Amino acid sequence: MKKNGKIMALALSAVMAFGLTGCGSSGSQDAGTTAPAKEEAAAAGEAESGDSGDSAKAAPEGATVFKLGTTVNEQDSFQVAAEKFAELVAERTNGAYAIEIYPNGTLGGERDMLESMQIGTLDMGIITSGPFINFSSAMGVLDMPYLFASNEEAYAVLDGEIGRELLDTLEDSGLKGLAYAERGFRNLTNSVKPIQTAADLSGMTIRIMENDVYTASFQAMDVNATPMAWADALTALQQGTVQGQENPINVIYSYSLWESQKYVTLDRHSYSTAIITMSASLFDSLDADTQKIFLDAAQEAAEYERAWVADQESSQLQALKDNGMEVIEEPDLTSFKEAVQPVYDQYSEYSDYVSRIQEVIGNMK
């Protein structure tokens, strides 16, 4: 396993300073700001955790037990992926390995969990894409606006050579990316007016994730981009201090955002992944056959979760309409893509990856 001594030392120092990583307060997934654990879970996973506690089940006697954490509740798609993954691993190792699932942020926020996996105090997690840029700068390419036009394009890249190459860059930080599950395409909502073009956003105050690429993208559309943790965003939306936000349909639905937002624009400006991640030291301790079982099981669980998300989306979108939201299903995407083109110039370090991604997409046609 590749090691980065400096990162490991810093992570170990953080653990010594804060006690047990993953307990108490933690850094936000994108900005590294301090927040209570429940707020961190919400900011990191874009879905607040619900009840504390966990859904870990007793492992078979004699099984080697691995703990897997998420920041979301048991009804979330991450739980679907985790349960399928655990089922496949147990089945294919004949019960030699058991995965216990700890939802609701009980093992910490997403960045906490990644840092714990780095130093081997946590085994596994399902983590949204945002915080990975802190562990591998190359991962930031996946945050670029309008990189993918469809789920099929995203899957072709993520499940292929480029996706694996990006996951492998995490090994320098002591992390093993197993497979890409998903959060989904992110869309705009607001309380002011229907958004048909990028120009319609000019001057609006929109809450965004705490991520530099997201900030640059919305600033390019003359938006007052306001990065903040999701728990804070919910209050800001209710109070009207921000006029809109951006999230996948499943989050808009889960949080009943029709209570504060009137308009939805399906601009699909970014595809959010959810990476099934493992401590690299733990992965390296497994024999080759068991490693393959974990990799294959993670991929199958990711594909299972993607299908589950797709099955839910149409009914969730209808629920938004039934609750009074006006949905702009075919906005002028050309205007949005033209508006964010300067972001590609600003982040020229991703140009090689972007070209390769576009080549893969072009070969699909």
Side-chain angles (χ1 to χ4, degrees):
M1 180 188 68
K2 302 175 184 177
K3 293 284 187 179
N4 185 314
K6 184 175 181 180
I7 290 178
M8 296 293 285
L10 288 172
L12 184 58
S13 297
V15 172
M16 294 173 65
F18 289 95
L20 292 175
T21 303
C23 301
S25 62
S26 61
S28 167
Q29 72 151 355
D30 296 313
T33 54
T34 300
K38 189 173 182 182
E39 293 182 357
E40 162 63 6
E46 292 303 289
E48 196 170 6
S49 57
D51 295 336
S52 57
D54 60 67
S55 65
K57 299 177 181 178
E61 185 176 353
T64 298
V65 178
F66 293 157
K67 292 183 178 181
L68 183 152
T70 76
T71 60
V72 295
N73 62 33
E74 293 90 335
Q75 288 70 51
D76 193 88
S77 66
F78 289 16
Q79 182 77 13
V80 171
E83 290 180 356
K84 188 66 174 177
F85 181 44
E87 172 193 324
L88 292 171
V89 167
E91 175 185 298
R92 294 175 185 179
T93 63
N94 296 316
Y97 291 89
I99 296 174
E100 292 183 346
I101 304 165
Y102 292 81
N104 299 314
T106 55
L107 301 183
E110 292 198 314
R111 186 163 178 172
D112 284 329
M113 289 193 287
L114 288 171
E115 290 173 349
S116 295
M117 282 183 264
Q118 276 188 303
I119 62 173
T121 58
L122 176 63
D123 303 318
M124 313 178 75
I126 300 181
I127 312 293
T128 49
S129 57
F132 283 96
I133 195 171
N134 297 294
F135 301 86
S136 166
S137 60
M139 294 294 290
V141 68
L142 298 179
D143 296 322
M144 295 297 282
Y146 301 101
L147 186 64
F148 303 116
S150 68
N151 292 69
E152 291 71 26
E153 289 183 0
Y155 303 157
V157 171
L158 297 174
D159 294 342
E161 178 183 343
I162 297 173
R164 173 47 56 188
E165 184 179 317
L166 287 169
L167 291 180
D168 288 348
T169 65
L170 295 169
E171 293 186 22
D172 283 337
S173 294
L175 301 170
K176 181 67 179 181
L178 300 181
Y180 297 94
E182 75 179 7
R183 175 51 84 202
F185 275 99
R186 304 179 74 86
N187 301 287
L188 288 160
T189 72
N190 82 93
S191 60
V192 180
K193 62 182 179 180
I195 303 298
Q196 295 278 2
T197 70
D200 293 335
L201 283 169
S202 180
M204 293 187 69
T205 301
I206 304 292
R207 178 268 171 182
I208 62 170
M209 284 204 300
E210 296 166 291
N211 178 296
D212 290 344
V213 175
Y214 278 83
T215 300
S217 298
F218 280 89
Q219 287 178 341
M221 292 184 283
D222 195 30
V223 166
N224 178 17
T226 307
M228 66 172 66
W230 182 237
D232 297 331
L234 290 169
T235 301
L237 290 168
Q238 289 288 350
Q239 294 177 344
T241 53
V242 296
Q243 297 168 312
Q245 62 86 53
E246 47 85 40
N247 253 311
I249 289 171
N250 56 68
V251 175
I252 299 170
Y253 168 80
S254 296
Y255 285 90
S256 305
L257 290 189
W258 51 78
E259 295 176 356
S260 63
Q261 305 281 276
K262 172 65 177 176
Y263 305 98
V264 183
T265 299
L266 302 184
D267 67 309
R268 297 164 68 87
H269 52 269
S270 178
Y271 174 82
S272 287
T273 65
I275 300 175
I276 302 175
T277 313
M278 190 172 185
S279 164
S281 61
L282 179 61
F283 181 84
D284 287 347
S285 73
L286 304 175
D287 62 68
D289 289 342
T290 305
Q291 288 179 347
K292 187 175 189 307
I293 287 172
F294 273 74
L295 286 166
D296 291 347
Q299 182 64 32
E300 290 184 36
E303 293 176 12
Y304 181 87
E305 183 254 8
R306 293 171 185 171
W308 187 89
V309 170
D311 287 343
Q312 302 295 310
E313 188 166 284
S314 60
S315 61
Q316 291 174 343
L317 182 60
Q318 185 59 50
L320 303 187
K321 297 175 182 178
D322 292 344
N323 281 280
M325 298 189 89
E326 181 179 327
V327 180
I328 294 85
E329 298 193 42
E330 296 184 5
D332 179 8
L333 291 183
T334 299
S335 70
F336 287 94
K337 292 176 181 178
E338 289 177 350
V340 300
Q341 186 54 46
V343 179
Y344 282 81
D345 299 328
Q346 180 178 345
Y347 288 90
S348 58
E349 63 266 34
Y350 297 139
S351 59
D352 180 57
Y353 271 122
V354 170
S355 295
R356 292 172 60 195
I357 288 169
Q358 290 174 341
E359 182 179 357
V360 171
I361 293 171
N363 290 337
M364 294 174 61
K365 300 174 181 177

